[in-house]
Amino acid sequence: MGSESRLPGLVILAALFLCGAVAGTITAAGIRGDARGTLFSFLDGYLALMKSGPSAAARLGRAFLNAFQYHIVVFLAGFTALGVFLVPLVIAARGFFLSFALTAFVYAYGGQGLFLALGALGIQALLSLPCLFFLSFQSFGTAARLWALSAGKAKSDKPLFGLPYWSRFGATAAVLALCALYEAFAAPGVISWIAAQIYT
């Protein structure tokens, strides 16, 4: 597949992620009244839990779920023609929730909240987002081929799920495991250090 045939799919996924991110920012910035107090209480509780909550081992399962949840969905979506709809939805949702969380931190704690957000979410996002786009593009392509096959508009001239397909997932899974380990073992210390620098 040439670069010219890859470009439309990448542009579509990037545009959907950006739309979700813009929607997340607007939604978080528009919170008012009781919902604002609830948001602040949630963020305070989240930071307290990260700094002095369960042990790293106890957090590990949740960290792996956080790291893999979107990626598993888009990977599995590649095995069905309906993935042409599901993958874009997941990409847009990821953009929304990530942007919402980042905006909420800044909204709650001012400019200092950006550093807290980077400690809590930024490092994982730097690693996990490229993995998500990588898997999404792969799954979107196979789902589109399955859709074409089901509609009789294409022929199955080569395997859809060969060794390269699984190898790519294995490589991204290794990166996501690092994200989970960071969240479970390092993120609480990073957040505590950032908070200490901000509030001392």
Side-chain angles (χ1 to χ4, degrees):
M1 184 183 296
S3 60
E4 67 281 358
S5 61
R6 294 191 183 106
L7 185 59
L10 290 173
V11 170
I12 290 171
L13 294 176
L16 288 169
F17 180 85
L18 181 60
C19 288
V22 171
T25 298
I26 293 173
T27 302
I31 292 177
R32 297 289 186 272
D34 293 341
R36 180 176 179 177
T38 301
L39 175 64
F40 289 3
S41 297
F42 173 80
L43 291 176
D44 286 338
Y46 171 78
L47 291 176
L49 182 65
M50 289 293 289
K51 290 188 290 185
S52 58
S55 66
R59 289 191 300 265
L60 193 57
R62 179 65 182 177
F64 268 89
L65 176 61
N66 291 339
F68 279 85
Q69 55 188 346
Y70 293 98
H71 302 73
I72 289 293
V73 173
V74 297
F75 178 70
L76 294 177
F79 292 91
T80 171
L82 295 178
V84 296
F85 303 106
L86 184 56
V87 171
L89 285 175
V90 174
I91 281 287
R94 179 55 173 150
F96 178 90
F97 288 114
L98 179 60
S99 179
F100 182 93
L102 293 173
T103 304
F105 269 103
V106 175
Y107 188 46
Y109 302 108
Q112 299 166 335
L114 178 60
F115 296 101
L116 291 171
L118 291 175
L121 306 169
I123 293 178
Q124 297 99 310
L126 287 174
L127 294 174
S128 67
L129 282 180
C131 292
L132 182 61
F133 273 93
F134 185 69
L135 287 178
S136 296
F137 177 71
Q138 173 176 270
S139 293
F140 187 74
T142 56
R145 288 184 62 192
L146 288 171
W147 184 277
L149 287 170
S150 65
K153 296 180 180 180
K155 296 181 179 180
S156 182
D157 54 348
K158 57 182 179 179
L160 290 174
F161 309 107
L163 180 60
Y165 191 92
W166 295 97
S167 298
R168 294 182 195 115
F169 177 72
T172 56
V175 176
L176 295 174
L178 293 177
C179 294
L181 292 173
Y182 169 82
E183 180 178 335
F185 293 94
V190 172
I191 292 173
S192 296
W193 182 84
I194 293 174
Q197 303 307 307
I198 290 175
Y199 298 113
T200 56

